Every structure is written in C-alpha cells, then in structure tokens.
Amino acid sequence: MMEYLPVEVIGNILSRLGAARDVVIASSTCRKWREAWRNHLHTLTFNSNDWPVYHELTRSRLEIIITQTIFQTNGLQCLSIILDDVDEFSAAPVIAWLMYTRETLRQLHYNVRTTPNINILEKCGRQRLEVLALAHNTITGVEPSYQKFPCLRSLSLSYVSISALDLSLFLTACTKVEVLNLVSLDIVMSDPQATMELSSNSLKDIYVEAISLDKIILEADSLEKLHLKDCTLEVFELVSKGKLRLLKIDDVSVIHLDIGESAENLEIVDVSNFTIMWSKFHHMIAKSSKLRRLRLWGVVFDDDDEVVDIETISACFPQLSHLSLSYELKETALQYGLQDSFRLENVVVLELGWTVISDLFSHWVAGLLERCPNLRKLVIYGVVSETKTHEECHTLANFTSFIVRLMRKYADVDVQFEYE
C-alpha cells in the first residue's frame, strides 16, 4: 500500500518523524521516498536527545552532516538545531543554513553559539518566520526599521545576551508577536539604573524566568497571561487595557508589583513562594469578579498579624470554583479568617496544605469544608519529615483520625492526600 501513497503524503509522514536521522533512514527506502524528502519535507530536527551519537561527533563533522541534510531539502518550514553538547559552530555553515532556508522557513529553534557571533536577526528578518526560539546567543545592534519580523507570533529567548534597549527594539520589530518567553537573559544595561521598558500592542502571553532587574515596565494592551518565575525585581509595572485573564507569580522577589487596571477580567490568580501584604494584594485583585481559580501556596505574610480573609474572598469572587491555600497557620487565621457564616457557594475543588502539621490545621480544614456546600473534591497536601518525633507522629495520627470522622459527614466529597 505504501507504494501508492502520493509523495506529498510521504513528505508529511517524514515531517512527523522530525528527527533528522530517522528521516534520512526512512527516505532511503526507495526513489519515491527520496523525492518526498527533497521536495515535500517541511520539518527537520537535530536534537542531541534523539541520537546519542551526536554527543560523540566533532564540531566539524556535525556541521557537515547538518549541511548535507539541509541542502538536500527544498521548502523546509521548521528547522530545529538543539545540540546541548556543542560549545559553538563556525559562523559560515550556520549562515549558509539560514540563507538556504530563509524564504520558506516558518519556525526556527536554535541553541548553539557561533564563532564569530552572527546576527541571526539580520538573516531571518523580513521573511515568513512565525516562531523563533534562540538560546545561548548574543543579540546586538537591533535595527527595527530594517530587521522587521512581520509574521512572527512567538518569540523565545533563553540564556541570550542582549541590552534592554535592543530587546525593546526587537519587540517593536515584531508587530504581530503574541507569545514572548524570556528565560535567564544576560541583560546588558547602558545606565546605572537597571530599567527595562517593553511595549507591544499584539502581545497576549508573556513568561519571564530567572531575571534580575531594578525595574520592568510592560505596556501591552492585549495581554491575557502574565507569568513571573524565579525573578528578583524592585518594581514590576503592567500598563494594559484590562484583558488580563491569568496572573501567575512563582518564587519572585518584588518590592512593588502593579498591574494597574488590568484585574477586571482575571480568571486565574496563582501565587506561590511569595511574600505578600494581603491587604495590598487583595486590593490589587479585588475587582476580579470573574475569578474562577485562586491559589495562594507557600505564601509568607509581610506582617505577622495578617491573615487571608476568606469572607472577603467569598464576597469579591462569587464565581470562584477552585480554591488552593497553603501558608503558616496562626490562631488569628481561625479567629478572623473564618469568623462569620459566609459560604463559598461555587467552590467545587478545595486544596489545602501545611508545612508544619498542627491541631490548628484540622480545625481550619473543618471550617472551610463547612463553608463549601457544593464541594466535590478535597486535596490535602502535607510535608512529612524524615526524622519524626513521637509528638509529630501523634499529631499526624490525630489528624488522620479527625479527617476520617469528618469525611463521614461529607460522604459525597472525593478526598485525596498528597504527602512529600
């Protein structure tokens, strides 16, 4: 049956294989498959995880293999060169690969340095590129008037050295970019105050990881998703027109966080390993009447007397269906956090966690269960230390017995435990 397949279909089959070695082996089957490789292959991947032999080849041998493979194709649309063991390639073959494929290429994933450094933006600009993922490269001298990326929708920069100004200019050159990922950038600053200003009318999704700066100002009217992870910042300001749907903050140190008027359409707020001033944080998201998921996990309060006011959460977020809470419990959490007879009518999934197990946690679980009349699922997360004292074992045993008795009252609720 295979011999009756059109060459275009064979090209699609080879493209789904992706890995260059598999494509080469498969295309050697017969003349028709070789023709499909030459004229109808649109995806080619050189990844050190696909073939262990890549780790053993010299740089020059790898350059020859990649060159021979690419130059036997016409119309390549997606090219991935992700070779972690290679320190650097010579500039000449890399320029040849980019120049040969530039008119048809839609996606480029490239993570190897070159000697000397080449301006990849210059080679790929003003073409049809829709996805660009660069790692371990240096970007300098961005000229947005010349290096335009009219079709680019997704841009990822990892371990890239770039100045704050060049990054801003680069984003300006990408007039249709919707997704931006910035990971472990080496930000070159021209002035003593490390401020980065980014502006985009099209940007919908931004992920920033492992970046340390004094100040980031992001102007993005269409932004829907904002995720900050493992960053150290003094100031983060978002200027937007209120389309933000997801706010995720994970292990971030920031003195001043401002999302402006962007909270009205928030549906998901996920905050973990973060020091918050609850009253200030709540004020920032208080207008999020569409909020469906709220996660405050491993948060630390800036003020020792602060508690998360569950009644206020109930009043401000009537559509809340998933609630996840884990922080150091104190007596005030029960006295003030659960003092009134409010109800979380729409909460169907409740996740609660401890870092240090205590009897207080049992009462907190019971108090929250009582206020979630339509709950379907309860997940308890806990940390169990390797060296357990008799007192710790006794507390854990008491908690287990308490939950067993409690859940007889809530027979319709699915209960799960996740311990680490």
Side-chain angles (χ1 to χ4, degrees), residues 263-305:
E264 289 187 7
N265 289 300
L266 273 173
E267 296 175 12
I268 300 172
V269 172
D270 186 335
V271 179
S272 55
N273 306 310
F274 185 60
T275 300
I276 65 170
M277 186 179 292
W278 170 246
S279 57
K280 190 173 181 180
F281 185 81
H282 176 263
H283 178 74
M284 185 173 71
I285 64 170
K287 294 181 181 179
S288 310
S289 58
K290 298 178 182 177
L291 198 70
R292 294 182 294 104
R293 292 172 180 255
L294 175 63
R295 184 172 182 263
L296 302 174
W297 208 261
V299 295
V300 177
F301 298 112
D302 198 43
D303 187 336
D304 286 343
D305 295 329

Side-chain angles (χ1 to χ4, degrees), residues 1 4 25 46 62 75 125 133 144 187 189 210 294-295 314 350 392:
M1 290 295 293
Y4 298 111
I25 293 172
F46 300 88
L62 273 172
I187 305 289
M189 304 305 302
L294 175 63
R295 184 172 182 263
S314 166
L350 182 63
E392 286 175 330

